[in-house]
Amino acid sequence: MKVISADHIYTPNGFIEHQAVAFDTQIRGIGPLESLLTVYPDAEIIRTAPYSVVYPGFINTHVHLEFSANKTSLKYGSFMPWLDSVIEHRDDLVNACDNAMMQKECDEMLRSGITTFGAISSFGTELEVCEKAAQRVVFFNEVIGSNAATADMLYGDFLERVAASQSCSKEARIIPAVAVHSPYSVHPVILQKAVTLAKQHKMPLTAHFLESQAERQWLERGEGELKSFFEKYFNTTVPVTDIEEFMHAFDTYPTHFAHAVQATQEELAYLSKKGHSIAHCPRSNRYLGCGRLKIEELKLPFSVATDGLSSNDSLNIFDEFRAALMLHNDIPIHTLAEQLIKASTRDAAEILGLDCGKIEVGAAADLAVLTLPAMPQSKEEVALWSIIHTKQVSHVYIEGEKYV
Ligand code: MCF
Ligand code: FE
């Protein structure tokens, strides 16, 4: 048993002061240090530096590790030039991205306090790194293919990757999962098969959805910049599905939709009714010129995610929080700070069906401890000061084991 004490602890009931947490692989008790030590007299005591805050480990629900080699190859600024640049540089980027590079990014996430991430895997090349990573990894095998003729072959490849992620060793914290790339790139026939597979195996399910204006125009009217893209690369002029049909395909299984920046209030209300959730990627949306997700109007649960280095500059969750503070400049800043923390811990865990993300007896002992430079004036300010002052955390525990 370990007991960690700190000036502040973030619990489902808010921040509590001058308390401690007893844990082995799970959280066993929360209360004053002395009381916990009478219950667990032999516990190892972890005393944190003054002004420390204990958080549940943060959860980054959406990242593309395979694109970690990108620095300046992909075009930022607007979605379609970006997508064209992905087609142009994808092979080079993925070949340049070796295990050492991806491992470095897992460490970067870990040092920012991320104890669980959702890896969107286009090719399966990051599986080995994810198996060795300290973190819990929801391994989202991506299915893609809009052309009916090649869809079966691509689906077969997808099934092999799913099987590989299912046969990882028990020590690895890999949770096999399914990612449908997007409404414009996945044929309804394989979409249906992928959803059924996820449902049968109770695997988490995700999809990129309504990220850009171009996607909306294409799905609604078969027009816009995606039209020339499909003419050029796929020799087609009509979309394989529309917004409604795509959404309906997920009716019976809660899905984690990435972006949804261009979704209407009606569409969001529909997703909400069906129990879905959103992965909000503020920097990615800004860098690809996709717009701002109106989180102040959202009625459905959302998480905060970095997306990949294909549309970002770091996988540090605190960099993402700070960007979110700037992007959503009309939301009162303390309210927003608390919302971002809750979205990336408890809400993200619930979305992915995990037993971590909260400091509560019985939850997995995934913890991230950070140290503020001075004492906040009140509990209401702890979340904001944490976001503003943190680049790296001071301790990380996953299932009770120390990693930082
Ligand atoms: O989330 C961002 C932007 N939206 C869509 N896809 C990707 C992102 N970062 C990487 N991708 C991948 C995606 O998984 O790029 C490919 C897919 O494999 C785009 S489709 C040619
Ligand atoms: Fe993405």
Side-chain angles (χ1 to χ4, degrees):
M1 192 66 62
K2 298 182 177 93
V3 176
I4 188 164
S5 68
D7 283 347
H8 287 99
I9 296 169
Y10 178 72
T11 75
N13 302 316
F15 291 96
I16 55 171
E17 286 174 296
H18 311 303
Q19 307 266 314
V21 181
F23 62 97
D24 42 33
T25 58
Q26 288 183 358
I27 293 165
R28 302 294 176 189
I30 302 155
L33 179 62
E34 307 72 50
S35 339
L36 291 179
L37 289 178
T38 53
V39 186
Y40 306 107
D42 301 326
E44 173 195 338
I45 303 172
I46 306 149
R47 286 183 204 278
T48 57
Y51 325 130
S52 291
V53 190
V54 182
Y55 284 99
F58 296 98
I59 301 168
N60 180 11
T61 64
H62 185 113
V63 57
H64 301 256
L65 279 176
E66 292 167 320
F67 288 84
S68 295
N70 178 54
K71 296 283 182 229
T72 57
S73 304
L74 301 181
K75 268 206 166 58
Y76 286 11
S78 178
F79 186 75
M80 280 314 299
W82 174 85
L83 192 59
D84 278 318
S85 71
V86 171
I87 301 292
E88 190 185 339
H89 296 286
R90 185 174 48 187
D91 292 348
D92 294 344
L93 283 174
V94 172
N95 288 335
C97 187
D98 59 11
N99 282 3
M101 191 177 271
M102 293 189 276
Q103 201 174 330
K104 192 170 147 271
E105 296 306 330
C106 291
D107 286 345
E108 160 84 1
M109 285 196 272
L110 191 69
R111 280 182 283 110
S112 81
I114 294 172
T115 54
T116 296
F117 60 84
I120 314 297
S121 175
S122 308
F123 310 101
T125 58
E126 75 280 65
L127 183 59
E128 200 181 322
V129 169
C130 291
E131 266 189 279
K132 290 185 188 141
Q135 288 102 332
R136 211 185 286 284
V137 182
V138 179
F139 198 85
F140 285 110
N141 297 284
E142 182 177 81
V143 65
I144 195 165
S146 56
N147 181 330
T150 52
D152 277 349
M153 190 259 293
L154 292 170
Y155 190 77
D157 172 75
F158 156 76
L159 284 181
E160 279 177 30
R161 287 182 281 118
V162 170
S165 69
Q166 284 171 325
S167 60
C168 288
S169 79
K170 285 277 168 289
E171 294 89 73
R173 301 186 169 103
I174 300 272
I175 299 148
V178 173
V180 168
H181 177 249
S182 77
Y184 56 88
S185 61
V186 178
H187 193 278
V189 172
I190 59 172
L191 164 61
Q192 205 52 66
K193 288 207 261 186
V195 173
T196 305
L197 183 79
K199 204 169 149 180
Q200 267 170 359
H201 295 262
K202 295 192 171 64
M203 291 187 281
L205 179 60
T206 193
H208 291 92
F209 184 53
L210 291 177
E211 178 176 11
S212 64
Q213 199 54 49
E215 177 177 343
R216 210 183 163 93
Q217 279 180 349
W218 173 244
L219 296 174
E220 273 186 334
R221 297 188 298 278
E223 287 171 4
E225 290 174 291
L226 265 170
K227 190 183 167 96
S228 30
F229 176 89
F230 275 100
E231 276 169 355
K232 183 172 164 195
Y233 295 110
F234 298 97
N235 201 23
T236 58
T237 48
V238 281
V240 286
T241 189
D242 60 33
I243 294 171
E244 211 176 290
E245 185 188 39
F246 185 77
M247 285 200 301
H248 286 180
F250 299 90
D251 272 354
T252 57
Y253 198 63
T255 304
H256 192 42
F257 291 101
H259 310 304
V261 174
Q262 298 298 336
T264 62
Q265 284 305 316
E266 292 71 44
E267 285 152 2
L268 290 169
Y270 187 79
L271 296 183
S272 172
K273 196 172 84 186
K274 298 295 174 188
H276 301 308
S277 60
I278 308 274
H280 172 41
C281 307
R283 281 186 292 173
S284 172
N285 295 158
R286 176 70 181 105
Y287 288 156
L288 303 193
C290 291
R292 184 185 76 91
L293 180 71
K294 292 180 179 141
I295 55 170
E296 65 279 12
E297 291 174 6
L298 274 190
K299 304 275 185 305
L300 62 175
F302 72 93
S303 67
V304 180
T306 59
D307 215 338
L309 290 174
S310 29
S311 54
N312 211 336
D313 56 85
S314 86
L315 303 184
N316 182 313
I317 196 73
F318 280 91
D319 287 345
E320 204 63 49
F321 291 157
R322 280 187 289 276
L325 289 182
M326 302 303 148
L327 191 65
H328 304 291
N329 61 314
D330 279 344
I331 306 178
I333 201 161
H334 290 289
T335 315
L336 178 56
E338 290 221 17
Q339 243 189 326
L340 297 170
I341 300 268
K342 179 170 173 279
S344 318
T345 54
R346 205 166 76 194
D347 293 348
E350 236 162 74
I351 288 167
L352 297 178
L354 306 172
D355 63 352
C356 53
K358 52 181 185 253
I359 300 187
E360 188 177 89
V361 173
D366 292 9
L367 306 172
V369 185
L370 57 87
T371 302
L372 296 172
M375 194 65 176
Q377 302 294 314
S378 79
K379 283 197 281 193
E380 284 67 43
E381 298 180 3
V382 178
L384 181 64
W385 293 135
S386 297
I387 292 177
I388 288 181
H389 288 296
T390 307
K391 306 253 178 316
Q392 297 192 345
V393 297
S394 56
H395 306 61
V396 171
Y397 292 88
I398 302 174
E399 291 185 271
E401 239 183 283
K402 189 171 199 277
Y403 288 95
V404 171

